[in-house]
Amino acid sequence: MRQMISATTAIALVAAMAAAMPAMAQDDSMADGAMPHDTEMHHQADMSHDMHADQEMHGEHDGMMNQAGAMPQSLEDAVSDETRPEEDRLLDVNRHPAEVLLFAGLEHGWRVADLTAGSGYYTRVLSTAVGAEGHVYAHNPSWIAERFPEPNEALGMLAEDRANVTHVVSPIETFAADIDEPLDGVMMVLFYHDTAWDETDRDAMNRAVYDALRPGGVYLVIDHHAPEGSGLEHVNTTHRIDAAVVRAEIEAAGFAFDGESDMLANPDDPRDISVFDDSIRRMTDRFVYRFRKPDM
């Protein structure tokens, strides 16, 4: 059993889990604190603010995308999929799912694990993008499934509706215990900081990811920037993590650092306030790290 968490942490998790639930979407994580996706309904004023901020934050990135060429049709189709809940679509403006998956190198036919998938924001996009030839293992940690049953049940229903999705509930360190094929990719969005306080054995977690991937496979991690040099000081208060800690821990598991992107950067984020603060909510400065299992 996980150790009992403080009342403050529990409140933050409830607010964050909201961020993980499409049918209740609002914040930006299964944990803008706790899971990728939310609980309150979007308000038009909020969305207008988000869209305006997003245009300012990501205009340079969009220009880079135009120079790089057209987005692959499989990713365009995945994001424009009409079966995606409207609440998910409202989060796209600050999440840039197609660009994130392009950076990951996702291809049609890939086998991917979506770690701590919440209610399935990324799982839906991945499922369409990899197609019938691919597969998505949509995972929630056991304690998340127990404490937040509604998003986990939504994830289960998504798996029932899609033949290429398998719902996995397990300790994160053993997410791949029943996966009998090498994975092409694993992704964790806005949850790594939570593994730093919830008693996850992160060494075992990162080794499990390494072992589950084929040689050359990709491990993509996105999280909220904490101040440089702060280590794990903010994981349970402002729900941020020092990117250097994440990189060091994952490299220690045998991965090669394969690149980073500033597509989710926000230089106006002071990095020392809660990710739930109204001034920065859904617009935090985020690192996007790509790691690769070396070819054997």
Side-chain angles (χ1 to χ4, degrees):
M1 294 290 295
R2 300 287 181 189
Q3 118 180 25
M4 293 295 292
I5 60 178
S6 68
T8 300
T9 298
I11 291 171
L13 272 173
V14 170
M17 276 298 300
M21 308 201 278
M24 316 168 84
Q26 190 103 355
D27 257 321
D28 230 10
S29 50
M30 205 162 78
D32 236 23
M35 287 184 66
H37 334 61
D38 286 83
T39 115
E40 318 159 55
M41 295 301 293
H42 279 283
H43 298 298
Q44 289 296 332
D46 287 341
M47 286 309 301
S48 175
H49 174 65
D50 285 348
M51 293 178 71
H52 176 70
D54 184 73
Q55 290 168 358
E56 294 180 348
M57 288 167 54
H58 302 296
E60 181 178 349
H61 168 65
D62 292 341
M64 290 166 53
M65 283 299 302
N66 289 337
Q67 293 175 13
M71 181 70 64
Q73 190 63 47
S74 60
L75 294 183
E76 288 188 356
D77 291 345
V79 174
S80 62
D81 179 3
E82 294 182 355
T83 68
R84 295 182 69 215
E86 180 62 18
E87 292 82 1
D88 278 18
R89 295 171 182 272
L90 293 177
L91 297 177
D92 290 349
V93 67
N94 284 333
R95 288 191 176 186
H96 296 291
E99 289 85 351
V100 166
L101 297 182
L102 180 66
F103 177 73
L106 186 82
E107 297 180 10
H108 190 84
W110 266 26
R111 299 171 301 276
V112 184
D114 184 6
L115 294 187
T116 317
S119 53
Y121 172 90
Y122 263 108
T123 296
R124 285 181 176 83
V125 178
L126 288 165
S127 171
T128 304
V130 302
E133 296 81 5
H135 203 86
V136 182
Y137 295 91
H139 165 271
N140 275 330
S142 303
W143 72 271
I144 288 288
E146 293 169 4
R147 184 173 292 274
F148 304 102
E150 290 187 13
N152 187 63
E153 290 169 3
L155 190 65
M157 289 190 291
L158 175 60
E160 290 177 2
D161 290 340
R162 298 196 177 205
N164 70 345
V165 176
T166 297
H167 183 204
V168 179
V169 175
S170 72
I172 199 166
E173 301 94 328
T174 58
F175 79 94
D178 295 324
I179 299 177
D180 58 3
E181 57 183 351
L183 300 176
D184 300 288
V186 174
M187 61 189 300
M188 180 183 290
V189 180
L190 303 179
F191 197 80
Y192 200 101
H193 70 274
D194 285 300
T195 68
W197 63 259
D198 73 353
E199 295 189 338
T200 294
D201 182 338
R202 296 193 305 285
D203 289 339
M205 175 186 77
N206 289 324
R207 287 197 302 271
V209 173
Y210 185 94
D211 291 342
L213 286 166
R214 63 167 170 79
V218 171
Y219 185 15
L220 188 80
V221 178
I222 299 174
D223 217 326
H224 310 280
H225 269 296
E228 291 183 12
S230 62
L232 303 177
E233 178 183 350
H234 301 286
V235 296
N236 197 27
T237 53
T238 63
H239 298 277
R240 298 170 179 266
I241 191 168
D242 186 347
V245 169
V246 176
R247 178 171 176 175
E249 290 184 352
I250 294 177
E251 288 181 326
F255 283 96
F257 184 69
D258 192 50
E260 61 183 305
S261 172
D262 64 357
M263 70 176 76
L264 302 182
N266 179 6
D268 295 327
D269 178 3
R271 298 188 180 183
D272 60 359
I273 58 177
S274 170
V275 300
F276 301 111
D277 189 285
D278 287 342
S279 67
I280 204 65
R281 187 170 171 220
R282 296 189 296 276
M283 296 183 294
T284 55
D285 189 20
R286 303 172 188 182
F287 58 90
V288 182
Y289 279 178
R290 185 180 62 221
F291 301 88
R292 194 174 297 277
K293 181 175 180 176
D295 291 320
M296 302 301 186

